[in-house]
Amino acid sequence: MNLFRFFSRRRHDADLTSEIAAHMEAERAENIACGMSPEEADRRARIKFGSARRVREDLWQQNSFAWVEGILRDLKYAIRCLAHAPGFAVTVILIMALGIGANTAVFSVMNAVLLKSLPVSDPGRVVYLTIDGQPDGANNTGDSATSFSYPVYQALRIDDRALSQVIAYVPLSFDGKAAVRIGANPEVAQVDMVGGNFFSGLGVRMARGRGFINDDETHHAPVAVISYKYWTRRFSRSPDVLGTTLYVKGVPLTIVGIAAQSFEGTEPGNSVDFWIPLQSRAELNAWGTPAIDGKTYLARPEWWCLRLLGRLPPGVTQRQALAQTQAVLDRVAFLGIHPYIGQKPPILSFAPGKAFPGYEEQYGMPLKMMMAMVGLVLLIALANIVMLLVARSVNRQREFSVRLSLGAGRAQLFRQLLAEG
C-alpha cells in the first residue's frame, strides 16, 4: 500500500486536499448556522482544524516512503548545485577519473597475471607440475621446467594417493598450429593432444556432446572436441557439427563434443581450437616432430615432452601431495636414461592453477608495487577532492544557515552533502 501511494502521490494529494476542504466547509457551515458571519465562521473553522499543509505532510510521512522522496529531492538539488558550478564538477570528475582509471588498469593486469584462476571446477585444487634439475641425457621441448616423459606421466597417474587426477597435454607443433582440413577447405588450427581425463579431471563442462574418456586415450581414438570459439567461427554454431569429420595432417577425426564457452585451454594467451586424445600415429607426434625409427613420444622414455596438471584430493595439502608425488618421481625419473653416477632425481614442485602459471616470482613484486603506487595516487586524489568540498562548504555557510533557520536538521544537511558527494 505504501509503495502504491509513493508512486501515485499527486492523485492522493488531490484526494486529501478535497477531503480537507470538505471538513473545512462542514465546520464553516456549522459556524454560520450558529449565527456567525461568513468571515468569522471561516476564521473559526481554520483555527479549529489547524494547518492543512501540516496535516498533509504528517499523513504523507505516515503512509509513504518519505525517506525515499527525501533522497530523490536531495539528488535533484545536488544536480542543480553542480550544474551551477560546472568548473568545480568537472575538476572533481577528472580527478576521480584519473585515480580510478589508473587503479582499474593496473588491477586488471594484476588480476589476469596473478589472481585469475583457470576456468575449471574448483581451480584452487588444480596445480601445474614443474621440476628443477631434469636428468642428464633427457631431451626436452626447450623448457625443462615443465616437461615430463610418458613413463613419468603414467607412473604419477597410476599412483593416485597424492593426486586424484594427473592430466597430460601437449601441442601438435612448436607454434601450436597444425594443418587441418574440413571438407575441401584447408586451414591451420591450434590443436592439443590431451589425456582421456582432460575434461573430466579439470571439471570442464560440455556445451554439446561429450568430452573424452580414458578409453579414448588407451585406444588412441580418432575423435576431437572443439572449442566454443572455434565452433562459432568455423561452424557458425551449427547444431549438426557433432559427427562431422575433420582431418589433421591427413588423419580423419570425428567431432564428438564442444567445450564450454569459458574454456579455451590451459596455457595463457593460447586459445586452443580443438583437442584430440593422445595418439600413437607418427603423423600426430608430440610437438609435430618426426618419429625417430618409427618411435613416437610413447616409445621414447628419454624424451620429456608432456606437460602435466594435477588435482589435489579433498583433505590433502600441497605439501603432503608433493611429498608422495616426489617419491613416485624418484622411482621412474631415470627410465630409459643412463644417468651419471650419483646424479640426483629432479625436484618436483607445484605451481597454482592460474591463467599465467609461474609468473608470481617474475612479475608479482613489480605489479604489487605498482598497485600500491596507484592506490596512493587514488588516496591523494580523494584527499584533494575532500579539500575542494570543504572549501566549497565554507563558502556555503550562508546557505546552510538559512536552511537551518527554516527548520532543516543537521541530519538533513549531512544527507544533502552526501548526495552531492
Side-chain angles (χ1 to χ4, degrees), residues 70-91:
I71 293 175
L72 294 177
R73 185 172 58 247
D74 290 339
L75 289 174
K76 292 178 181 178
Y77 184 73
I79 293 173
R80 290 199 300 269
C81 288
L82 295 178
H84 287 305
F88 170 80
V90 171
T91 301

Side-chain angles (χ1 to χ4, degrees), residues 209-230:
R210 67 171 181 89
F212 299 141
I213 57 177
N214 289 330
D215 283 347
D216 292 331
E217 176 186 348
T218 303
H219 301 297
H220 312 294
V223 295
V225 170
I226 63 176
S227 69
Y228 196 95
K229 185 176 181 180
Y230 190 68

Side-chain angles (χ1 to χ4, degrees), residues 25-346:
E25 184 61 29
E27 185 66 26
R28 181 172 177 275
E30 185 178 346
N31 291 339
I32 291 176
C34 292
M36 298 182 187
S37 64
E39 293 78 6
E40 182 64 18
D42 184 65
R43 188 178 71 84
R44 292 290 184 92
R46 292 181 181 278
I47 293 174
K48 183 177 180 179
F49 190 84
S51 173
R53 180 179 292 275
R54 171 60 65 87
V55 171
R56 286 199 300 269
E57 290 180 354
D58 290 344
L59 288 175
W60 172 251
Q61 291 181 354
Q62 292 175 11
N63 297 313
S64 182
F65 297 104
W67 59 273
V68 176
E69 185 188 50
I71 293 175
L72 294 177
R73 185 172 58 247
D74 290 339
L75 289 174
K76 292 178 181 178
Y77 184 73
I79 293 173
R80 290 199 300 269
C81 288
L82 295 178
H84 287 305
F88 170 80
V90 171
T91 301
V92 171
I93 291 172
L94 288 178
I95 293 174
M96 287 296 295
L98 176 63
I100 295 175
N103 276 267
T104 302
V106 174
F107 180 78
S108 297
V109 176
M110 185 176 178
N111 177 62
V113 175
L114 303 181
L115 304 178
K116 187 177 181 180
S117 298
L118 289 173
V120 299
S121 174
D122 194 10
R125 307 201 69 80
V126 175
V127 293
Y128 289 90
L129 275 64
T130 61
I131 57 171
D132 181 25
Q134 191 178 72
D136 284 350
N139 300 319
N140 60 65
T141 61
D143 186 1
S144 60
T146 61
S147 300
F148 295 84
S149 67
Y150 186 76
V152 169
Y153 160 60
Q154 288 289 68
L156 293 176
R157 186 178 183 183
I158 292 172
D159 192 326
D160 58 359
R161 290 172 294 177
L163 296 172
S164 60
Q165 300 283 345
V166 176
I167 304 156
Y169 65 100
V170 59
L172 280 185
S173 66
F174 281 93
D175 63 358
K177 302 293 185 180
V180 177
R181 179 171 61 85
I182 302 173
N185 301 317
E187 61 179 50
V188 292
Q190 196 90 12
V191 186
D192 275 4
M193 286 196 301
V194 299
N197 62 341
F198 183 77
F199 296 105
S200 60
L202 291 176
V204 177
R205 296 182 178 181
M206 294 291 109
R208 285 178 178 269
R210 67 171 181 89
F212 299 141
I213 57 177
N214 289 330
D215 283 347
D216 292 331
E217 176 186 348
T218 303
H219 301 297
H220 312 294
V223 295
V225 170
I226 63 176
S227 69
Y228 196 95
K229 185 176 181 180
Y230 190 68
W231 180 43
T232 302
R233 174 172 60 84
R234 186 63 182 79
F235 298 97
S236 302
R237 299 186 187 177
S238 170
D240 301 324
V241 69
L242 298 182
T244 300
T245 299
L246 53 81
Y247 296 83
V248 178
K249 296 185 176 181
V251 178
L253 303 167
T254 302
I255 298 175
V256 296
I258 304 168
Q261 185 173 2
S262 60
F263 185 76
E264 296 182 3
T266 56
E267 293 292 325
N270 182 20
S271 179
V272 179
D273 293 320
F274 59 90
W275 300 265
I276 63 177
L278 293 175
Q279 299 291 316
S280 59
R281 302 181 62 122
E283 303 96 316
L284 302 178
N285 199 21
W287 297 95
T289 60
I292 299 178
D293 297 329
K295 295 180 179 180
T296 66
Y297 66 100
L298 297 173
R300 294 181 56 196
E302 81 284 358
W303 189 22
W304 290 49
C305 61
L306 300 179
R307 292 174 174 172
L308 301 182
L309 284 160
R311 179 176 286 279
L312 299 173
V316 177
T317 65
Q318 283 199 21
R319 179 175 295 183
Q320 293 170 337
L322 190 59
Q324 180 65 35
T325 308
Q326 181 67 53
V328 177
L329 179 62
D330 292 345
R331 295 198 307 267
V332 299
F334 298 115
L335 288 177
I337 301 174
H338 301 287
Y340 62 81
I341 298 176
Q343 183 178 5
K344 295 181 179 180

Side-chain angles (χ1 to χ4, degrees), residues 375-392:
L376 182 61
V377 169
L378 180 59
L379 183 62
I380 294 173
L382 293 176
N384 288 333
I385 291 174
V386 168
M387 296 303 296
L388 287 173
L389 289 173
V390 170
R392 186 166 180 265

